């Protein structure tokens, strides 16, 4: 920072920084750490209604330029929600915050009236594209928040071109108000894994000799049942390993596998640590991501970085994440998915060439400089 230049004080909604281990929490923690490294003219205040998880909070190093802030007064039972929606503005004013960044798609009421500039990151509009995956009351609340946030925000960050198109179409927002900034992602999966580590992980998780991998919450929208159905059309020595948080949909997946004689070929794992997940990626033959709708699709990029060919579904942003050398099929086409996986297994013609081209394609995300671009947006808005 140049001598005499004033530091900009930026407030952030940090609820998910201290509560979510993946997804929105990972995005927020990565952005905060990178902003502190690349933008010395910024000072960050992370506003959260509770301290949350000690381990997650500890991933952010507090200091002169960064600290957590909690409600300035005692609120009633529903006060945590009220504080994030409205009460936080009084605390932002008290602290002299010049700009507020809603990291997870929403902004508090009253920022404009208080004279505080605002930026919001919108990750996806799945609740509008596929409301069938949500309770109607939740859809109504999310929809109200979305439209109010679009009016309140001085600038909107979309994490993909697909999300930008959705914001324009479903929110009636002018393109000039939206900037696409691809999110940072965990490049920790891009190094090599020793044979000893692979063997140790295979033993501890009882992994099959040959398997297709899927990573993500096991929920209906992610559509992993399509991969289970495709498994029946593949060689019997090929299995499916699914790593992710379980939901009610998991029982449906297990039941189908049991009823169709596939139970021995389907492994459902959750609570897998980063080091083990890296080894599981590295030991797979292909990656299947049959999700019906995503805001971006970070697991696809992680899989490509680990040297896997990717098969995914059409209909959202997955072609944007994976590039032209992954194979894409319809989200209900079992035979097409099975054929695409077959073309992605070891020894299939063109497999290695597609992997190489895909790895070159994802360099654009590895060099995205997410934090630098976000910092520049702050400076323009202020």
């Amino acid at each position: 920072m140049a001598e005499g230049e004033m530091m900009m004080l930026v407030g952030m909604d940090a609820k998910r920084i201290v509560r979510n281990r993946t997804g929105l929490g990972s995005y927020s923690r990565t952005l905060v750490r990178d902003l502190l490294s690349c933008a010395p003219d910024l000072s960050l205040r992370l506003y959260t209604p509770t301290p949350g998880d000690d381990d997650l909070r500890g991933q952010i190093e507090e200091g002169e330029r960064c600290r957590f802030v909690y409600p300035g007064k005692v609120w009633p039972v529903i006060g945590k929600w009220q504080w994030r929606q409205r009460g936080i503005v009084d605390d932002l004013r008290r602290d002299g915050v010049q700009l507020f960044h809603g990291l997870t798609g929403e902004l508090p009421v009253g920022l404009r009236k208080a004279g505080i500039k605002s930026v919001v990151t919108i990750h996806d509009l799945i609740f509008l594209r596929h409301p069938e995956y949500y309770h109607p009351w939740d859809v109504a609340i999310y929809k109200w928040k979305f439209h109010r946030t679009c009016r309140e925000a001085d600038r909107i960050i979309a994490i993909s071109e697909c999300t930008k198109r959705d914001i324009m179409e479903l929110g009636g927002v002018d393109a000039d108000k939206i900037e696409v900034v691809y999110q940072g992602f965990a490049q920790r999966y891009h190094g090599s894994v020793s044979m000893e580590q692979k063997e140790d992980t295979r033993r501890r998780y009882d992994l099959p000799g040959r398997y297709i991998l899927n990573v993500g919450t096991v929920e209906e929208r992610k559509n992993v049942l399509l991969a289970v159905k495709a498994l029946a059309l593949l060689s019997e020595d090929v299995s499916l390993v699914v790593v992710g948080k379980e939901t009610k949909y998991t029982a449906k997946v297990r039941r189908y596998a049991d009823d169709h004689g596939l139970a021995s070929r389907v492994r459902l794992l959750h609570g897998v640590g980063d080091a083990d997940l890296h080894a599981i990626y590295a030991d797979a033959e292909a990656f299947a991501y049959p999700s019906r709708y995503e805001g971006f699709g970070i697991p696809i990029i992680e899989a490509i970085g680990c040297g896997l060919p990717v098969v995914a579904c059409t209909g959202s942003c997955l072609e944007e994440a994976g590039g032209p050398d992954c194979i894409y099929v319809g989200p209900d086409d079992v035979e097409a998915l099975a054929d695409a996986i077959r073309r992605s297994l070891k020894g299939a013609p063109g497999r290695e060439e597609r992997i190489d081209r895909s790895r070159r394609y994802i360099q654009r995300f590895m060099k995205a400089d997410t934090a630098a671009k976000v910092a520049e947006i702050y400076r323009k808005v202020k």
Side-chain angles (χ1 to χ4, degrees), residues 184-202:
F185 66 96
Q187 296 184 30
R188 59 181 174 268
Y189 298 131
H190 289 207
S192 60
V193 177
S194 69
M195 185 58 66
E196 291 77 15
Q197 186 178 353
K198 288 181 184 179
E199 290 175 353
D200 176 64
T201 304
R202 193 183 304 132

Side-chain angles (χ1 to χ4, degrees), residues 52-106:
D53 183 275
D54 291 344
D55 175 61
L56 296 180
R57 191 178 63 257
Q59 293 181 29
I60 303 297
E61 185 176 350
E62 293 190 77
E64 184 178 348
R65 291 177 52 222
C66 179
R67 71 170 186 264
F68 286 95
V69 183
Y70 308 101
K73 64 177 181 179
V74 177
W75 287 77
V77 176
I78 63 169
K80 294 174 184 177
W81 181 85
Q82 291 177 324
W83 180 71
R84 289 185 70 236
Q85 290 298 306
R86 294 179 181 272
I88 191 175
V89 176
D90 290 336
D91 291 347
L92 297 174
R93 249 189 323 217
R94 174 202 66 199
D95 297 339
V97 167
Q98 298 158 279
L99 180 145
F100 184 81
H101 187 169
L103 295 169
T104 57
E106 57 183 296

Side-chain angles (χ1 to χ4, degrees), residues 137-207:
W137 181 239
D138 288 333
V139 172
I141 293 173
Y142 298 156
K143 185 176 180 180
W144 173 78
K145 285 183 178 182
F146 166 63
H147 288 293
R148 181 184 56 75
T149 291
C150 288
R151 293 192 299 270
E152 186 84 44
D154 289 290
R155 194 72 174 164
I156 296 172
I157 294 173
I159 65 165
S160 68
E161 292 289 348
C162 177
T163 296
K164 178 178 179 177
R165 291 192 297 270
D166 282 353
I167 296 168
M168 293 167 60
E169 177 187 344
L170 302 174
V173 179
D174 190 89
D176 292 340
K177 190 175 180 177
I178 310 167
E179 187 155 348
V180 175
V181 180
Y182 291 115
Q183 65 187 93
F185 66 96
Q187 296 184 30
R188 59 181 174 268
Y189 298 131
H190 289 207
S192 60
V193 177
S194 69
M195 185 58 66
E196 291 77 15
Q197 186 178 353
K198 288 181 184 179
E199 290 175 353
D200 176 64
T201 304
R202 193 183 304 132
R203 176 184 53 79
R204 285 187 290 108
Y205 289 97
D206 189 26
L207 296 176

Side-chain angles (χ1 to χ4, degrees), residues 26 49 51 58 62 107 153 169 175-176 194 223 237 303 318-319 336 345 354 361 369 377:
S26 179
E62 293 190 77
L107 293 170
E169 177 187 344
D176 292 340
S194 69
N223 196 30
D237 66 337
L318 300 184
E319 295 98 326
L345 297 175
R354 290 199 305 274
Y361 175 84
D369 295 328
I377 291 172

Side-chain angles (χ1 to χ4, degrees), residues 1 4 20 40-41 44 71 147 245 252 266 280 283 285 306 324 380:
M1 186 170 65
N20 292 52
D41 59 324
L44 308 181
H147 288 293
K245 179 182 177 182
K252 183 177 180 180
V266 177
I280 292 171
D283 209 27
E285 283 199 36
C306 287
K380 290 177 181 177

